[in-house]
Amino acid sequence: MILNPGIIALISASFLVSAFAAYAAFTGIRIIRYWDLSSGSPTQLDLERKTYLVSVIFAYVSAFQLLSLFMFVYTADHIHSLFVGAMCAAGSLNANGYGYPTLALKGVNFFLCGLWLLVNYTDNRAENYPLIRFKYKFLLLITGLLFVEAYFQVKYFAGLKVDIITSCCGVLFSEETQEIGGQIASLPSRPTMILFFLTLILTVRMGIHFLVTGRGARWFAGFSAWALILSVASVVSFISVYFYELPTHHCPFCLLQKDYHYIGYALYLTLLPAGICGVGVGLLERFSTQASLKGIVPVLQKRLCILSMSAYVAFVLISLYPMIFSDFILE
């Protein structure tokens, strides 16, 4: 394994997070089995105190997942010079079979942690904790995925050897490549562009409809989820190309480098919250019929809807900047 400060920090932090998550999961199992709000027993009082502790733990876990996601990519980019053929994080992550699965797991876990925090916040606003069992069952799922992520991350870093020959992003995201990166890069730019902007317009339109009428929460969540997936594909297909001003360069990782003013961080930091808040609107809809949440859920949904739309608009504006102000013409 390559001894790099970033690698040591990521592995150490993943073990720490897994330990905190395991404690939270153990507490969650006890709550699922023994929670009884009508009881004044010592067990119930202990569980009520611990549920606040678990909330704090998972708030920090979620914050770390965001930091870990970008630190993982940054570290992979930082060590790319050690591998023959690698030009950025794309090559480093391709150095063995665990790089890209680890990155995917980190993204999924951050997304799920964000949704859990929304459910937890909603539950804590009600006096009778109506979502207590649901949120701890959800927590058990996230804990399992965090352990899988930690395992994959250790396997990835442990398997890195400096004599590995890997592929550069120009090959991995080439239109001639048959893997998923090449398939996305080879999407026809103009139809993809039309679909991308149309999807974002419809997402905002559904958001406005929800804000005005209070209906269509699940439709907005569905459009938000689809917009998130399509936006990631669009970064590879055509958005990155405008920043590079090179029609054959589709890498989503080089955008995170200094040469491009770290614009990738701005893109991804607007895109991820947009998806979480948007899907959160639909997730909270299933709890809107709870008697103790009828006055809470609609207010939270509207706030999340506004945040999601604002983040998507920011993402579109950042993406549009080189299309409008540069001399580069893709087609």
Side-chain angles (χ1 to χ4, degrees):
M1 181 174 69
I2 299 170
L3 294 179
N4 174 277
I7 293 176
I8 296 172
L10 282 166
I11 292 178
S12 301
S14 68
F15 284 133
L16 188 61
V17 165
S18 297
F20 280 132
Y23 173 79
F26 174 75
T27 304
I29 292 173
R30 292 188 63 213
I31 289 175
I32 292 170
R33 293 183 61 185
Y34 302 116
W35 183 268
D36 182 7
L37 196 60
S38 62
S39 172
S41 66
T43 300
Q44 175 63 22
L45 295 176
D46 180 57
L47 293 178
E48 289 179 15
R49 287 194 297 268
K50 286 187 175 180
T51 189
Y52 289 103
L53 175 60
V54 171
S55 299
V56 174
I57 288 174
F58 250 73
Y60 280 103
V61 167
S62 300
F64 173 76
Q65 282 302 116
L66 176 60
L67 178 63
S68 172
L69 176 62
F70 287 96
M71 186 176 178
F72 180 74
V73 177
Y74 174 82
T75 302
D77 183 67
H78 182 69
I79 63 176
H80 80 267
S81 59
L82 301 176
F83 307 110
V84 177
M87 301 298 291
C88 66
S92 300
L93 293 172
N94 196 53
N96 62 46
Y98 290 96
Y100 282 103
T102 302
L103 178 63
L105 278 168
K106 284 185 176 295
V108 169
N109 285 339
F110 170 69
F111 193 88
L112 293 179
C113 283
L115 293 179
W116 190 90
L117 287 177
L118 293 178
V119 173
N120 180 64
Y121 179 78
T122 304
D123 186 49
N124 289 341
R125 294 287 300 277
E127 295 181 354
N128 61 339
Y129 304 102
L131 311 180
I132 192 78
R133 285 188 168 83
F134 171 83
K135 73 179 183 183
Y136 281 106
K137 290 177 182 178
F138 192 9
L139 183 146
L140 294 178
L141 169 65
I142 297 172
T143 299
L145 290 174
L146 287 173
F147 274 94
V148 175
E149 176 197 316
Y151 172 77
F152 272 57
Q153 182 172 259
V154 170
K155 292 289 288 184
Y156 168 64
F157 286 129
L160 293 179
K161 308 295 180 183
V162 294
D163 57 350
I164 291 175
I165 299 176
T166 185
S167 301
C168 69
C169 57
V171 174
L172 294 172
F173 295 96
S174 169
E175 295 181 8
E176 286 74 32
T177 302
Q178 296 303 311
E179 297 180 0
I180 185 169
Q183 295 295 317
I184 297 174
S186 63
L187 292 173
S189 58
R190 190 170 296 279
T192 305
M193 193 181 301
I194 294 172
L195 180 61
F196 167 74
F197 286 112
L198 181 61
T199 296
L200 268 297
I201 290 172
L202 289 175
T203 302
V204 173
R205 172 65 182 84
M206 286 303 304
I208 294 173
H209 174 77
F210 171 73
L211 290 176
V212 173
T213 66
R215 298 191 300 270
R218 290 187 174 89
W219 277 100
F220 175 70
F223 271 103
S224 293
W226 170 239
L228 175 63
I229 297 171
L230 183 60
S231 295
V232 173
S234 297
V235 169
V236 177
S237 176
F238 69 90
I239 292 174
S240 59
V241 174
Y242 276 95
F243 284 101
Y244 302 136
E245 298 188 4
L246 188 64
T248 58
H249 195 182
H250 295 268
C251 179
F253 299 105
C254 289
L255 292 171
L256 300 169
Q257 295 182 341
K258 181 180 179 180
D259 293 343
Y260 302 100
H261 308 290
Y262 307 107
I263 193 65
Y265 289 102
L267 284 169
Y268 301 134
L269 284 172
T270 54
L271 190 57
L272 290 173
I276 291 173
C277 292
V279 174
V281 172
L283 179 61
L284 294 183
E285 180 67 17
R286 65 174 294 181
F287 309 124
S288 59
T289 56
Q290 296 273 358
S292 58
L293 295 176
K294 286 185 177 180
I296 297 172
V297 167
V299 176
L300 292 178
Q301 283 180 306
K302 290 183 178 181
R303 291 176 183 174
L304 291 173
C305 182
I306 293 172
L307 288 173
S308 178
M309 289 192 299
S310 300
Y312 273 127
V313 169
F315 177 79
V316 170
L317 292 177
I318 296 171
S319 303
L320 277 174
Y321 182 84
M323 300 179 193
I324 297 174
F325 294 103
S326 74
D327 295 327
F328 175 76
I329 299 176
L330 182 59
E331 291 187 4

